[in-house]
Amino acid sequence: MLKKVLHMKAVILAGGLGTRLSEETHSRPKPMVEIGGKPILWHIMKIFEFYGVNEFIICCGYKGYFIKDYFNTFHLRDTDVTFNFKNNSTNIIRGSKEKWSVTCVDTGDTTLTGGRLRRIKEFLNPDEPFLFTYGDGVGDINISKLVEFHKSHRKLATVTAVNPPGRFGILNINEAQKVSKFNEKPDIGNAWINGGFFVLEPSVIDFISGDDIPWEGAPLQKITERNELYAFKHHGFWQPMDTIAEKKFLEDLYLSNSAPWKIWKD
């Protein structure tokens, strides 16, 4: 496996309502729904971390305080610690394996995906591409090759194209892997679809006019019309977690030690 250490920021959408998973999301945001005792958000971050990505910007919204609280107490979850009540002190004996820098940004309860991306512009490096994905999907995507492909075509945006069940918007891709058309939600079956795991140049945010703009709508369509969107075809595993059945499927894989996206070592 090609593995190149990447010094990039990763932006993760974590503010939606998760209505199709209401059995779990009535009390917490969807990225905090657990797979094998860990939030799916953690799983996504571990995928990035495997490739050296340790700077994260989390776009919070619905029940975002759950996410902030999770990271506020993160250093206590998997560490050895001494609580000294005599002098009111806490001593971490064995620190966490993760060396992450996590910025949680309140991007609004009802802001759409494009609007959330627009709201975190100030936290990006203006001259460096960044990674961008949804907080509810995992896969064994080779992030190093994804970034290498993005840099090779020198365009504004790269989307990871995947081949799962056909309830998503499709991508029309030519032989050079340029996206010629971006359809958000067409009524057709299996095809190459938007699997998240984007690499973006910061200037894509200029295509987003406000909070009520979905990233998958006008921004991506305009970027496509300007021949600035390319697709990185991923032939491996990819799976979103939109329903209880999908959550159970992912959890069964993880608990049986057969999760394809678990590319890191414990």
Side-chain angles (χ1 to χ4, degrees):
M1 176 183 291
L2 175 64
K3 180 184 176 184
K4 182 179 180 181
V5 176
L6 303 171
H7 300 287
M8 300 176 68
K9 292 185 178 182
V11 178
I12 303 175
L13 291 170
L17 297 177
T19 53
R20 287 195 291 263
L21 196 65
S22 59
E23 298 94 331
E24 294 276 354
T25 58
H26 70 280
S27 61
R28 53 184 165 175
K30 183 158 66 165
M32 295 304 295
V33 174
E34 294 183 351
I35 302 296
K38 298 283 189 180
I40 193 170
L41 177 61
W42 177 88
H43 290 261
I44 295 166
M45 294 169 73
K46 292 294 286 186
I47 294 169
F48 284 125
E49 181 194 49
F50 180 79
Y51 292 96
V53 177
N54 286 297
E55 286 191 73
F56 298 96
I57 301 169
I58 312 297
C59 300
C60 300
Y62 170 72
K63 296 187 182 295
Y65 55 87
F66 276 85
I67 297 173
K68 295 174 185 177
D69 181 66
Y70 176 76
F71 288 112
N72 185 47
T73 58
F74 190 87
H75 63 293
L76 298 178
R77 295 175 186 274
D78 298 308
T79 60
D80 298 329
V81 58
T82 297
F83 298 100
N84 190 321
F85 296 102
K86 292 180 180 179
N87 58 15
N88 196 30
S89 66
T90 302
N91 180 35
I92 303 293
I93 302 169
R94 179 181 57 83
S96 173
K97 294 179 182 178
E98 286 78 14
K99 308 300 178 186
W100 299 340
S101 169
V102 183
T103 301
C104 296
V105 182
D106 183 0
T107 56
D109 282 358
T110 59
T111 306
L112 299 186
T113 51
R116 295 192 190 282
L117 178 56
R118 182 172 177 264
R119 286 207 187 190
I120 58 89
K121 181 178 181 180
E122 66 181 283
F123 300 98
L124 299 172
N125 297 324
D127 301 319
E128 296 180 5
F130 63 97
L131 295 148
F132 176 56
T133 197
Y134 306 100
D136 62 355
V138 291
D140 57 350
I141 293 97
N142 189 313
I143 304 297
S144 290
K145 287 186 176 180
L146 167 64
V147 172
E148 185 180 88
F149 174 72
H150 175 79
K151 291 181 177 179
S152 72
H153 62 63
R154 299 183 179 182
K155 298 296 183 179
L156 291 181
T158 299
V159 58
T160 296
V162 295
N163 263 146
R167 62 181 173 84
F168 298 88
I170 68 158
L171 303 169
N172 293 344
I173 305 169
N174 68 13
E175 290 182 2
Q177 292 180 240
K178 182 183 75 175
V179 179
S180 59
K181 191 173 183 181
F182 192 96
N183 296 325
E184 186 180 356
K185 295 287 183 180
D187 295 324
I188 70 176
N190 243 10
W192 288 106
I193 65 114
N194 167 19
F197 291 92
F198 294 85
V199 185
L200 304 174
E201 299 297 324
S203 57
V204 299
I205 296 177
D206 297 337
F207 290 86
I208 306 168
S209 59
D211 284 353
D212 59 343
I213 303 298
W215 167 243
E216 306 77 15
L220 271 181
Q221 290 165 8
K222 289 178 182 177
I223 291 168
T224 302
E225 290 167 3
R226 297 190 185 190
N227 297 319
E228 292 286 344
L229 177 63
Y230 273 66
F232 175 77
K233 289 184 176 179
H234 173 61
H235 297 274
F237 178 87
W238 177 87
Q239 178 65 51
M241 186 188 66
D242 276 339
T243 65
I244 286 293
E246 289 172 339
K247 175 192 181 300
K248 185 178 185 303
F249 172 65
L250 290 172
E251 188 151 58
D252 288 347
L253 286 174
Y254 190 76
L255 294 178
S256 63
N257 294 316
S258 54
W261 72 91
K262 187 182 178 300
I263 52 180
W264 62 90
K265 293 182 180 180
D266 291 326

